[in-house]
Amino acid sequence: MTTLLSLLLGAGPLLLLALNPVHGSDNATLPLVLWHGMGDSCCNPLSMGSIKKMVEETIPGIDVLSLMIGKTVIQDTENGFFMDVNEQVSMVCSQLAQDPKLKDGYNAMGFSQGGQFLRAVAQRCPSPPMKTLISVGGQQQGVYGLPKCPGESSHICDWIRKKLNSGAYTDIVQKHLVQAQYWHDPLNDDLYKKHSLFLADINQERVVNETYKKNLQLLDKFVMVKFLQDSVVDPADTEWFGFLKTGQAKETETLQESFTEQDRQVLKHVPCNNRLSSVATLATGFQTAPGSNISTITVCRELHEMGFHG
């Protein structure tokens, strides 16, 4: 058995806990929607395919939809780099709305960048209703640094490095590079807020969006999984909605510390009962699964191929 499969099987009981309750009002099992991370695809047998299979074996009778962004697996992978995130979210919203299996609601789990993309779905598209959102290593406050992306996608990541260095907030980079759309530069906060096409909008950096706030509050539970030994996402606190303090690139602050008097970070009002204990338990469980080391082997291939380092 591979180390990755050992990790997935070890995490099975914790997945059940995170998705509890997994049933709708009629006691039918709620479907689960998965969104992969950068460099991955909906159906990779070594990552999302294994996760889908594990969930189906762990929760009998569940319908699992692993999102494909595009018509083929190749397009799906490429779109994780080059398709405008707002277009991706709109495409997913349309797909979910047309799926009769989801009409009574669904749970969602996003891996790495899929975590913040699914939060955008929750904020923008309340029908069908998302019940529980699990963000596994999602960069909810964005990233700041360079992608470490070895393996099959290394040539793409070399190109991404150059583009981010040359200007993450130029129109052409913002429109054509997915990772630039959640690039959060604490040294150029005004530039970020003005030109970020995706992250600054869903995090309401420019203006409070009452619709986003209302829709996010409809979640029964929002679980953010932070890898406690993460060495590939910078800053790692972004996985719990923390980030670097504005004006410098060394000190971080937690979600609670970032609240302003006007409470612009609407997550303060989202039902997150026992959020921190749930996340800590889940993260520890992933780290201590037999034969696994979360800093190098993660649930999704993207999580050990992609990192941002300043």
Side-chain angles (χ1 to χ4, degrees), residues 217-265:
Q217 289 173 337
L218 295 175
L219 286 173
D220 293 334
K221 187 184 296 184
F222 183 10
V223 178
M224 290 181 281
V225 178
K226 174 184 175 182
F227 296 120
L228 301 180
Q229 299 175 21
D230 200 325
S231 63
V232 296
V233 171
D234 188 20
D237 285 347
T238 187
E239 297 170 8
W240 265 358
F241 228 102
F243 202 66
L244 295 160
K245 293 182 178 179
T246 301
Q248 50 85 60
K250 292 184 178 181
E251 267 190 272
T252 61
E253 60 184 358
T254 66
L255 169 66
Q256 291 81 2
E257 290 169 340
S258 71
F259 285 146
T260 63
E261 201 173 307
Q262 291 77 23
D263 189 26
R264 297 176 62 210
Q265 298 291 349

mmCIF file of all heavy atoms in Angstrom, residues 217-265:
data_model
loop_
_atom_site.group_PDB
_atom_site.id
_atom_site.type_symbol
_atom_site.label_atom_id
_atom_site.label_comp_id
_atom_site.label_asym_id
_atom_site.label_seq_id
_atom_site.Cartn_x
_atom_site.Cartn_y
_atom_site.Cartn_z
ATOM 1 N N GLN A 217 -23.142 32.888 5.819
ATOM 2 C CA GLN A 217 -23.760 32.570 7.104
ATOM 3 C C GLN A 217 -24.746 31.410 7.012
ATOM 4 O O GLN A 217 -25.168 30.865 8.028
ATOM 5 C CB GLN A 217 -24.470 33.814 7.666
ATOM 6 C CG GLN A 217 -23.506 34.892 8.136
ATOM 7 C CD GLN A 217 -24.222 36.172 8.535
ATOM 8 O OE1 GLN A 217 -25.343 36.440 8.099
ATOM 9 N NE2 GLN A 217 -23.577 36.972 9.360
ATOM 10 N N LEU A 218 -25.101 31.010 5.785
ATOM 11 C CA LEU A 218 -26.012 29.883 5.614
ATOM 12 C C LEU A 218 -25.327 28.541 5.834
ATOM 13 O O LEU A 218 -25.999 27.518 5.991
ATOM 14 C CB LEU A 218 -26.623 29.918 4.206
ATOM 15 C CG LEU A 218 -27.531 31.103 3.880
ATOM 16 C CD1 LEU A 218 -27.966 31.058 2.413
ATOM 17 C CD2 LEU A 218 -28.752 31.123 4.788
ATOM 18 N N LEU A 219 -23.983 28.541 5.838
ATOM 19 C CA LEU A 219 -23.259 27.300 6.079
ATOM 20 C C LEU A 219 -23.564 26.758 7.475
ATOM 21 O O LEU A 219 -23.589 27.506 8.449
ATOM 22 C CB LEU A 219 -21.752 27.521 5.959
ATOM 23 C CG LEU A 219 -21.147 27.699 4.564
ATOM 24 C CD1 LEU A 219 -19.672 28.065 4.675
ATOM 25 C CD2 LEU A 219 -21.326 26.453 3.725
ATOM 26 N N ASP A 220 -23.770 25.450 7.567
ATOM 27 C CA ASP A 220 -23.895 24.817 8.881
ATOM 28 C C ASP A 220 -22.547 24.738 9.567
ATOM 29 O O ASP A 220 -22.446 24.849 10.790
ATOM 30 C CB ASP A 220 -24.473 23.395 8.744
ATOM 31 C CG ASP A 220 -25.915 23.396 8.259
ATOM 32 O OD1 ASP A 220 -26.615 24.401 8.489
ATOM 33 O OD2 ASP A 220 -26.331 22.404 7.641
ATOM 34 N N LYS A 221 -21.501 24.543 8.777
ATOM 35 C CA LYS A 221 -20.164 24.396 9.346
ATOM 36 C C LYS A 221 -19.121 24.749 8.303
ATOM 37 O O LYS A 221 -19.262 24.421 7.128
ATOM 38 C CB LYS A 221 -19.939 22.960 9.831
ATOM 39 C CG LYS A 221 -18.642 22.732 10.600
ATOM 40 C CD LYS A 221 -18.448 21.265 10.951
ATOM 41 C CE LYS A 221 -19.520 20.778 11.898
ATOM 42 N NZ LYS A 221 -19.261 19.356 12.305
ATOM 43 N N PHE A 222 -18.083 25.439 8.737
ATOM 44 C CA PHE A 222 -16.952 25.764 7.887
ATOM 45 C C PHE A 222 -15.698 25.271 8.603
ATOM 46 O O PHE A 222 -15.296 25.831 9.622
ATOM 47 C CB PHE A 222 -16.898 27.275 7.634
ATOM 48 C CG PHE A 222 -15.788 27.723 6.705
ATOM 49 C CD1 PHE A 222 -15.031 26.822 5.976
ATOM 50 C CD2 PHE A 222 -15.514 29.072 6.536
ATOM 51 C CE1 PHE A 222 -14.027 27.225 5.120
ATOM 52 C CE2 PHE A 222 -14.517 29.508 5.678
ATOM 53 C CZ PHE A 222 -13.767 28.580 4.973
ATOM 54 N N VAL A 223 -15.108 24.204 8.084
ATOM 55 C CA VAL A 223 -13.922 23.594 8.698
ATOM 56 C C VAL A 223 -12.700 23.957 7.862
ATOM 57 O O VAL A 223 -12.666 23.705 6.666
ATOM 58 C CB VAL A 223 -14.061 22.064 8.779
ATOM 59 C CG1 VAL A 223 -12.796 21.434 9.378
ATOM 60 C CG2 VAL A 223 -15.278 21.687 9.611
ATOM 61 N N MET A 224 -11.705 24.580 8.490
ATOM 62 C CA MET A 224 -10.470 24.922 7.800
ATOM 63 C C MET A 224 -9.344 24.054 8.346
ATOM 64 O O MET A 224 -8.996 24.146 9.511
ATOM 65 C CB MET A 224 -10.155 26.407 7.979
ATOM 66 C CG MET A 224 -11.108 27.318 7.238
ATOM 67 S SD MET A 224 -10.722 29.083 7.411
ATOM 68 C CE MET A 224 -11.413 29.417 9.040
ATOM 69 N N VAL A 225 -8.797 23.201 7.489
ATOM 70 C CA VAL A 225 -7.723 22.297 7.884
ATOM 71 C C VAL A 225 -6.385 22.972 7.634
ATOM 72 O O VAL A 225 -6.057 23.340 6.513
ATOM 73 C CB VAL A 225 -7.788 20.980 7.084
ATOM 74 C CG1 VAL A 225 -6.632 20.062 7.474
ATOM 75 C CG2 VAL A 225 -9.120 20.292 7.295
ATOM 76 N N LYS A 226 -5.636 23.138 8.706
ATOM 77 C CA LYS A 226 -4.286 23.690 8.598
ATOM 78 C C LYS A 226 -3.288 22.583 8.904
ATOM 79 O O LYS A 226 -3.394 21.907 9.921
ATOM 80 C CB LYS A 226 -4.088 24.843 9.585
ATOM 81 C CG LYS A 226 -2.660 25.382 9.628
ATOM 82 C CD LYS A 226 -2.521 26.447 10.705
ATOM 83 C CE LYS A 226 -1.082 26.919 10.844
ATOM 84 N NZ LYS A 226 -0.929 27.915 11.935
ATOM 85 N N PHE A 227 -2.312 22.404 8.010
ATOM 86 C CA PHE A 227 -1.284 21.412 8.248
ATOM 87 C C PHE A 227 -0.255 21.988 9.216
ATOM 88 O O PHE A 227 0.444 22.942 8.891
ATOM 89 C CB PHE A 227 -0.646 20.992 6.930
ATOM 90 C CG PHE A 227 -1.617 20.313 6.002
ATOM 91 C CD1 PHE A 227 -1.903 20.829 4.757
ATOM 92 C CD2 PHE A 227 -2.267 19.159 6.398
ATOM 93 C CE1 PHE A 227 -2.803 20.205 3.914
ATOM 94 C CE2 PHE A 227 -3.176 18.525 5.562
ATOM 95 C CZ PHE A 227 -3.441 19.045 4.321
ATOM 96 N N LEU A 228 -0.174 21.405 10.390
ATOM 97 C CA LEU A 228 0.614 21.990 11.467
ATOM 98 C C LEU A 228 2.108 21.960 11.183
ATOM 99 O O LEU A 228 2.872 22.695 11.798
ATOM 100 C CB LEU A 228 0.300 21.269 12.778
ATOM 101 C CG LEU A 228 -1.177 21.316 13.205
ATOM 102 C CD1 LEU A 228 -1.371 20.578 14.520
ATOM 103 C CD2 LEU A 228 -1.670 22.749 13.317
ATOM 104 N N GLN A 229 2.524 21.107 10.272
ATOM 105 C CA GLN A 229 3.938 21.050 9.902
ATOM 106 C C GLN A 229 4.120 21.452 8.438
ATOM 107 O O GLN A 229 5.052 21.000 7.776
ATOM 108 C CB GLN A 229 4.479 19.641 10.140
ATOM 109 C CG GLN A 229 4.394 19.192 11.587
ATOM 110 C CD GLN A 229 4.816 17.742 11.768
ATOM 111 O OE1 GLN A 229 5.514 17.180 10.925
ATOM 112 N NE2 GLN A 229 4.398 17.131 12.851
ATOM 113 N N ASP A 230 3.253 22.294 7.940
ATOM 114 C CA ASP A 230 3.289 22.662 6.525
ATOM 115 C C ASP A 230 4.574 23.421 6.202
ATOM 116 O O ASP A 230 4.934 24.372 6.885
ATOM 117 C CB ASP A 230 2.081 23.535 6.185
ATOM 118 C CG ASP A 230 1.777 23.544 4.698
ATOM 119 O OD1 ASP A 230 2.733 23.495 3.908
ATOM 120 O OD2 ASP A 230 0.592 23.573 4.336
ATOM 121 N N SER A 231 5.244 22.979 5.152
ATOM 122 C CA SER A 231 6.448 23.670 4.702
ATOM 123 C C SER A 231 6.337 24.134 3.261
ATOM 124 O O SER A 231 7.322 24.551 2.663
ATOM 125 C CB SER A 231 7.670 22.743 4.832
ATOM 126 O OG SER A 231 7.526 21.614 3.997
ATOM 127 N N VAL A 232 5.128 24.045 2.679
ATOM 128 C CA VAL A 232 4.991 24.364 1.259
ATOM 129 C C VAL A 232 4.024 25.501 0.971
ATOM 130 O O VAL A 232 3.853 25.885 -0.173
ATOM 131 C CB VAL A 232 4.556 23.112 0.456
ATOM 132 C CG1 VAL A 232 5.619 22.049 0.517
ATOM 133 C CG2 VAL A 232 3.221 22.578 0.938
ATOM 134 N N VAL A 233 3.374 26.051 1.980
ATOM 135 C CA VAL A 233 2.490 27.204 1.779
ATOM 136 C C VAL A 233 2.970 28.320 2.687
ATOM 137 O O VAL A 233 3.190 28.120 3.884
ATOM 138 C CB VAL A 233 1.022 26.853 2.106
ATOM 139 C CG1 VAL A 233 0.164 28.120 2.095
ATOM 140 C CG2 VAL A 233 0.471 25.850 1.100
ATOM 141 N N ASP A 234 3.145 29.490 2.143
ATOM 142 C CA ASP A 234 3.671 30.619 2.900
ATOM 143 C C ASP A 234 2.779 31.843 2.709
ATOM 144 O O ASP A 234 2.586 32.278 1.574
ATOM 145 C CB ASP A 234 5.103 30.920 2.430
ATOM 146 C CG ASP A 234 5.787 31.958 3.305
ATOM 147 O OD1 ASP A 234 5.338 32.162 4.454
ATOM 148 O OD2 ASP A 234 6.768 32.566 2.847
ATOM 149 N N PRO A 235 2.196 32.367 3.800
ATOM 150 C CA PRO A 235 2.308 31.864 5.165
ATOM 151 C C PRO A 235 1.303 30.734 5.416
ATOM 152 O O PRO A 235 0.191 30.755 4.882
ATOM 153 C CB PRO A 235 1.960 33.080 6.016
ATOM 154 C CG PRO A 235 1.000 33.851 5.177
ATOM 155 C CD PRO A 235 1.440 33.647 3.749
ATOM 156 N N ALA A 236 1.684 29.768 6.245
ATOM 157 C CA ALA A 236 0.797 28.637 6.529
ATOM 158 C C ALA A 236 -0.468 29.086 7.241
ATOM 159 O O ALA A 236 -1.511 28.436 7.133
ATOM 160 C CB ALA A 236 1.534 27.600 7.373
ATOM 161 N N ASP A 237 -0.405 30.214 7.947
ATOM 162 C CA ASP A 237 -1.586 30.707 8.671
ATOM 163 C C ASP A 237 -2.746 31.037 7.747
ATOM 164 O O ASP A 237 -3.890 31.156 8.191
ATOM 165 C CB ASP A 237 -1.226 31.953 9.492
ATOM 166 C CG ASP A 237 -0.417 31.620 10.737
ATOM 167 O OD1 ASP A 237 -0.353 30.422 11.090
ATOM 168 O OD2 ASP A 237 0.163 32.537 11.343
ATOM 169 N N THR A 238 -2.473 31.219 6.457
ATOM 170 C CA THR A 238 -3.552 31.485 5.509
ATOM 171 C C THR A 238 -4.568 30.343 5.485
ATOM 172 O O THR A 238 -5.733 30.542 5.141
ATOM 173 C CB THR A 238 -2.978 31.724 4.090
ATOM 174 O OG1 THR A 238 -4.017 32.135 3.214
ATOM 175 C CG2 THR A 238 -2.345 30.468 3.518
ATOM 176 N N GLU A 239 -4.119 29.131 5.861
ATOM 177 C CA GLU A 239 -5.014 27.980 5.865
ATOM 178 C C GLU A 239 -6.069 28.079 6.967
ATOM 179 O O GLU A 239 -7.097 27.397 6.905
ATOM 180 C CB GLU A 239 -4.191 26.692 6.009
ATOM 181 C CG GLU A 239 -3.248 26.475 4.841
ATOM 182 C CD GLU A 239 -2.248 25.355 5.049
ATOM 183 O OE1 GLU A 239 -2.378 24.618 6.060
ATOM 184 O OE2 GLU A 239 -1.339 25.202 4.223
ATOM 185 N N TRP A 240 -5.800 28.929 7.977
ATOM 186 C CA TRP A 240 -6.780 29.229 9.034
ATOM 187 C C TRP A 240 -7.267 30.672 8.929
ATOM 188 O O TRP A 240 -7.738 31.248 9.883
ATOM 189 C CB TRP A 240 -6.165 28.982 10.409
ATOM 190 C CG TRP A 240 -6.458 27.616 10.963
ATOM 191 C CD1 TRP A 240 -7.214 26.639 10.413
ATOM 192 C CD2 TRP A 240 -5.972 27.094 12.202
ATOM 193 N NE1 TRP A 240 -7.249 25.538 11.213
ATOM 194 C CE2 TRP A 240 -6.489 25.783 12.325
ATOM 195 C CE3 TRP A 240 -5.159 27.605 13.219
ATOM 196 C CZ2 TRP A 240 -6.214 24.964 13.421
ATOM 197 C CZ3 TRP A 240 -4.881 26.788 14.304
ATOM 198 C CH2 TRP A 240 -5.408 25.490 14.407
ATOM 199 N N PHE A 241 -7.091 31.252 7.772
ATOM 200 C CA PHE A 241 -7.543 32.611 7.485
ATOM 201 C C PHE A 241 -6.697 33.677 8.173
ATOM 202 O O PHE A 241 -7.115 34.817 8.353
ATOM 203 C CB PHE A 241 -9.021 32.823 7.847
ATOM 204 C CG PHE A 241 -9.810 33.488 6.754
ATOM 205 C CD1 PHE A 241 -10.645 32.759 5.941
ATOM 206 C CD2 PHE A 241 -9.698 34.846 6.517
ATOM 207 C CE1 PHE A 241 -11.363 33.356 4.924
ATOM 208 C CE2 PHE A 241 -10.407 35.464 5.500
ATOM 209 C CZ PHE A 241 -11.238 34.712 4.705
ATOM 210 N N GLY A 242 -5.491 33.309 8.583
ATOM 211 C CA GLY A 242 -4.541 34.307 9.063
ATOM 212 C C GLY A 242 -3.692 34.777 7.897
ATOM 213 O O GLY A 242 -3.768 34.249 6.793
ATOM 214 N N PHE A 243 -2.849 35.786 8.151
ATOM 215 C CA PHE A 243 -1.960 36.241 7.079
ATOM 216 C C PHE A 243 -0.887 37.143 7.661
ATOM 217 O O PHE A 243 -0.849 37.427 8.859
ATOM 218 C CB PHE A 243 -2.732 36.975 5.981
ATOM 219 C CG PHE A 243 -2.009 36.991 4.655
ATOM 220 C CD1 PHE A 243 -1.796 35.808 3.968
ATOM 221 C CD2 PHE A 243 -1.511 38.162 4.114
ATOM 222 C CE1 PHE A 243 -1.114 35.781 2.765
ATOM 223 C CE2 PHE A 243 -0.831 38.165 2.912
ATOM 224 C CZ PHE A 243 -0.635 36.963 2.229
ATOM 225 N N LEU A 244 0.001 37.579 6.776
ATOM 226 C CA LEU A 244 1.052 38.517 7.148
ATOM 227 C C LEU A 244 0.448 39.877 7.476
ATOM 228 O O LEU A 244 -0.488 40.323 6.812
ATOM 229 C CB LEU A 244 2.055 38.667 5.997
ATOM 230 C CG LEU A 244 2.847 37.404 5.645
ATOM 231 C CD1 LEU A 244 3.414 37.522 4.232
ATOM 232 C CD2 LEU A 244 3.959 37.177 6.645
ATOM 233 N N LYS A 245 0.979 40.523 8.503
ATOM 234 C CA LYS A 245 0.519 41.866 8.831
ATOM 235 C C LYS A 245 0.875 42.812 7.692
ATOM 236 O O LYS A 245 1.949 42.713 7.096
ATOM 237 C CB LYS A 245 1.152 42.342 10.135
ATOM 238 C CG LYS A 245 0.701 41.580 11.369
ATOM 239 C CD LYS A 245 1.344 42.149 12.624
ATOM 240 C CE LYS A 245 0.863 41.409 13.865
ATOM 241 N NZ LYS A 245 1.510 41.934 15.099
ATOM 242 N N THR A 246 -0.026 43.718 7.411
ATOM 243 C CA THR A 246 0.175 44.653 6.309
ATOM 244 C C THR A 246 1.420 45.511 6.526
ATOM 245 O O THR A 246 1.689 45.977 7.634
ATOM 246 C CB THR A 246 -1.053 45.570 6.161
ATOM 247 O OG1 THR A 246 -2.201 44.753 5.917
ATOM 248 C CG2 THR A 246 -0.878 46.546 5.013
ATOM 249 N N GLY A 247 2.194 45.699 5.452
ATOM 250 C CA GLY A 247 3.357 46.579 5.500
ATOM 251 C C GLY A 247 4.668 45.872 5.745
ATOM 252 O O GLY A 247 5.729 46.513 5.724
ATOM 253 N N GLN A 248 4.646 44.572 5.975
ATOM 254 C CA GLN A 248 5.874 43.810 6.180
ATOM 255 C C GLN A 248 5.606 42.358 5.761
ATOM 256 O O GLN A 248 4.490 42.005 5.436
ATOM 257 C CB GLN A 248 6.335 43.898 7.635
ATOM 258 C CG GLN A 248 5.269 43.593 8.671
ATOM 259 C CD GLN A 248 5.115 42.113 8.955
ATOM 260 O OE1 GLN A 248 6.064 41.468 9.376
ATOM 261 N NE2 GLN A 248 3.930 41.565 8.715
ATOM 262 N N ALA A 249 6.641 41.540 5.746
ATOM 263 C CA ALA A 249 6.474 40.183 5.218
ATOM 264 C C ALA A 249 7.072 39.119 6.139
ATOM 265 O O ALA A 249 7.518 38.078 5.670
ATOM 266 C CB ALA A 249 7.105 40.091 3.836
ATOM 267 N N LYS A 250 7.050 39.387 7.467
ATOM 268 C CA LYS A 250 7.598 38.413 8.412
ATOM 269 C C LYS A 250 6.589 38.013 9.471
ATOM 270 O O LYS A 250 6.397 36.829 9.743
ATOM 271 C CB LYS A 250 8.859 38.975 9.076
ATOM 272 C CG LYS A 250 10.036 39.137 8.114
ATOM 273 C CD LYS A 250 11.291 39.607 8.844
ATOM 274 C CE LYS A 250 12.466 39.710 7.875
ATOM 275 N NZ LYS A 250 13.712 40.157 8.570
ATOM 276 N N GLU A 251 5.934 38.988 10.093
ATOM 277 C CA GLU A 251 4.986 38.704 11.178
ATOM 278 C C GLU A 251 3.608 38.382 10.632
ATOM 279 O O GLU A 251 3.121 39.058 9.725
ATOM 280 C CB GLU A 251 4.867 39.922 12.106
ATOM 281 C CG GLU A 251 5.795 39.904 13.296
ATOM 282 C CD GLU A 251 5.429 41.003 14.281
ATOM 283 O OE1 GLU A 251 5.929 42.127 14.116
ATOM 284 O OE2 GLU A 251 4.612 40.741 15.194
ATOM 285 N N THR A 252 2.990 37.359 11.207
ATOM 286 C CA THR A 252 1.632 37.016 10.810
ATOM 287 C C THR A 252 0.655 37.366 11.914
ATOM 288 O O THR A 252 1.044 37.595 13.067
ATOM 289 C CB THR A 252 1.507 35.508 10.494
ATOM 290 O OG1 THR A 252 1.830 34.750 11.673
ATOM 291 C CG2 THR A 252 2.420 35.116 9.348
ATOM 292 N N GLU A 253 -0.625 37.421 11.567
ATOM 293 C CA GLU A 253 -1.680 37.618 12.547
ATOM 294 C C GLU A 253 -2.800 36.628 12.287
ATOM 295 O O GLU A 253 -3.000 36.184 11.161
ATOM 296 C CB GLU A 253 -2.215 39.057 12.505
ATOM 297 C CG GLU A 253 -2.812 39.471 11.180
ATOM 298 C CD GLU A 253 -3.238 40.938 11.166
ATOM 299 O OE1 GLU A 253 -3.091 41.606 12.195
ATOM 300 O OE2 GLU A 253 -3.712 41.391 10.112
ATOM 301 N N THR A 254 -3.507 36.266 13.342
ATOM 302 C CA THR A 254 -4.596 35.305 13.215
ATOM 303 C C THR A 254 -5.833 35.986 12.664
ATOM 304 O O THR A 254 -5.898 37.218 12.550
ATOM 305 C CB THR A 254 -4.942 34.691 14.575
ATOM 306 O OG1 THR A 254 -5.479 35.713 15.435
ATOM 307 C CG2 THR A 254 -3.708 34.069 15.219
ATOM 308 N N LEU A 255 -6.824 35.173 12.339
ATOM 309 C CA LEU A 255 -8.099 35.711 11.869
ATOM 310 C C LEU A 255 -8.684 36.665 12.897
ATOM 311 O O LEU A 255 -9.109 37.774 12.568
ATOM 312 C CB LEU A 255 -9.076 34.566 11.601
ATOM 313 C CG LEU A 255 -10.540 34.946 11.343
ATOM 314 C CD1 LEU A 255 -10.645 35.725 10.041
ATOM 315 C CD2 LEU A 255 -11.417 33.702 11.287
ATOM 316 N N GLN A 256 -8.683 36.239 14.159
ATOM 317 C CA GLN A 256 -9.274 37.072 15.205
ATOM 318 C C GLN A 256 -8.527 38.389 15.359
ATOM 319 O O GLN A 256 -9.128 39.444 15.560
ATOM 320 C CB GLN A 256 -9.281 36.305 16.540
ATOM 321 C CG GLN A 256 -10.240 35.128 16.584
ATOM 322 C CD GLN A 256 -9.683 33.876 15.916
ATOM 323 O OE1 GLN A 256 -8.555 33.871 15.440
ATOM 324 N NE2 GLN A 256 -10.471 32.821 15.872
ATOM 325 N N GLU A 257 -7.206 38.359 15.238
ATOM 326 C CA GLU A 257 -6.409 39.572 15.379
ATOM 327 C C GLU A 257 -6.624 40.532 14.213
ATOM 328 O O GLU A 257 -6.395 41.737 14.350
ATOM 329 C CB GLU A 257 -4.922 39.207 15.476
ATOM 330 C CG GLU A 257 -4.554 38.513 16.767
ATOM 331 C CD GLU A 257 -3.154 37.930 16.738
ATOM 332 O OE1 GLU A 257 -2.610 37.728 15.624
ATOM 333 O OE2 GLU A 257 -2.605 37.668 17.824
ATOM 334 N N SER A 258 -7.081 40.007 13.081
ATOM 335 C CA SER A 258 -7.260 40.852 11.898
ATOM 336 C C SER A 258 -8.625 41.533 11.841
ATOM 337 O O SER A 258 -8.867 42.362 10.975
ATOM 338 C CB SER A 258 -7.072 40.011 10.619
ATOM 339 O OG SER A 258 -8.157 39.112 10.437
ATOM 340 N N PHE A 259 -9.534 41.183 12.768
ATOM 341 C CA PHE A 259 -10.849 41.816 12.762
ATOM 342 C C PHE A 259 -10.714 43.326 12.937
ATOM 343 O O PHE A 259 -9.980 43.798 13.803
ATOM 344 C CB PHE A 259 -11.727 41.282 13.901
ATOM 345 C CG PHE A 259 -12.263 39.904 13.662
ATOM 346 C CD1 PHE A 259 -12.429 39.030 14.725
ATOM 347 C CD2 PHE A 259 -12.601 39.476 12.407
ATOM 348 C CE1 PHE A 259 -12.918 37.761 14.523
ATOM 349 C CE2 PHE A 259 -13.090 38.203 12.191
ATOM 350 C CZ PHE A 259 -13.249 37.348 13.260
ATOM 351 N N THR A 260 -11.455 44.085 12.140
ATOM 352 C CA THR A 260 -11.490 45.526 12.300
ATOM 353 C C THR A 260 -12.737 45.906 13.081
ATOM 354 O O THR A 260 -13.621 45.081 13.319
ATOM 355 C CB THR A 260 -11.539 46.226 10.929
ATOM 356 O OG1 THR A 260 -12.761 45.853 10.272
ATOM 357 C CG2 THR A 260 -10.351 45.805 10.076
ATOM 358 N N GLU A 261 -12.809 47.147 13.450
ATOM 359 C CA GLU A 261 -13.962 47.622 14.217
ATOM 360 C C GLU A 261 -15.252 47.429 13.435
ATOM 361 O O GLU A 261 -16.305 47.146 13.976
ATOM 362 C CB GLU A 261 -13.765 49.108 14.555
ATOM 363 C CG GLU A 261 -14.596 49.575 15.741
ATOM 364 C CD GLU A 261 -14.230 50.997 16.138
ATOM 365 O OE1 GLU A 261 -13.038 51.265 16.347
ATOM 366 O OE2 GLU A 261 -15.149 51.819 16.202
ATOM 367 N N GLN A 262 -15.172 47.558 12.116
ATOM 368 C CA GLN A 262 -16.351 47.397 11.273
ATOM 369 C C GLN A 262 -16.623 45.931 10.939
ATOM 370 O O GLN A 262 -17.609 45.613 10.280
ATOM 371 C CB GLN A 262 -16.171 48.182 9.961
ATOM 372 C CG GLN A 262 -16.174 49.700 10.130
ATOM 373 C CD GLN A 262 -14.858 50.211 10.683
ATOM 374 O OE1 GLN A 262 -13.828 49.562 10.558
ATOM 375 N NE2 GLN A 262 -14.887 51.373 11.328
ATOM 376 N N ASP A 263 -15.736 45.072 11.432
ATOM 377 C CA ASP A 263 -15.894 43.624 11.198
ATOM 378 C C ASP A 263 -16.013 43.295 9.717
ATOM 379 O O ASP A 263 -16.945 42.632 9.277
ATOM 380 C CB ASP A 263 -17.119 43.086 11.951
ATOM 381 C CG ASP A 263 -17.187 41.550 11.898
ATOM 382 O OD1 ASP A 263 -16.146 40.910 11.753
ATOM 383 O OD2 ASP A 263 -18.294 41.010 11.981
ATOM 384 N N ARG A 264 -15.044 43.746 8.936
ATOM 385 C CA ARG A 264 -15.086 43.488 7.507
ATOM 386 C C ARG A 264 -14.838 42.024 7.195
ATOM 387 O O ARG A 264 -15.244 41.536 6.158
ATOM 388 C CB ARG A 264 -14.061 44.379 6.802
ATOM 389 C CG ARG A 264 -14.380 45.860 6.952
ATOM 390 C CD ARG A 264 -13.305 46.716 6.326
ATOM 391 N NE ARG A 264 -13.215 46.451 4.904
ATOM 392 C CZ ARG A 264 -12.085 46.565 4.215
ATOM 393 N NH1 ARG A 264 -10.982 46.900 4.816
ATOM 394 N NH2 ARG A 264 -12.080 46.327 2.916
ATOM 395 N N GLN A 265 -14.162 41.344 8.084
ATOM 396 C CA GLN A 265 -13.966 39.910 7.858
ATOM 397 C C GLN A 265 -15.223 39.189 8.332
ATOM 398 O O GLN A 265 -15.387 38.856 9.497
ATOM 399 C CB GLN A 265 -12.728 39.406 8.622
ATOM 400 C CG GLN A 265 -11.423 40.056 8.194
ATOM 401 C CD GLN A 265 -11.033 39.631 6.794
ATOM 402 O OE1 GLN A 265 -11.623 38.715 6.240
ATOM 403 N NE2 GLN A 265 -10.066 40.300 6.208
#
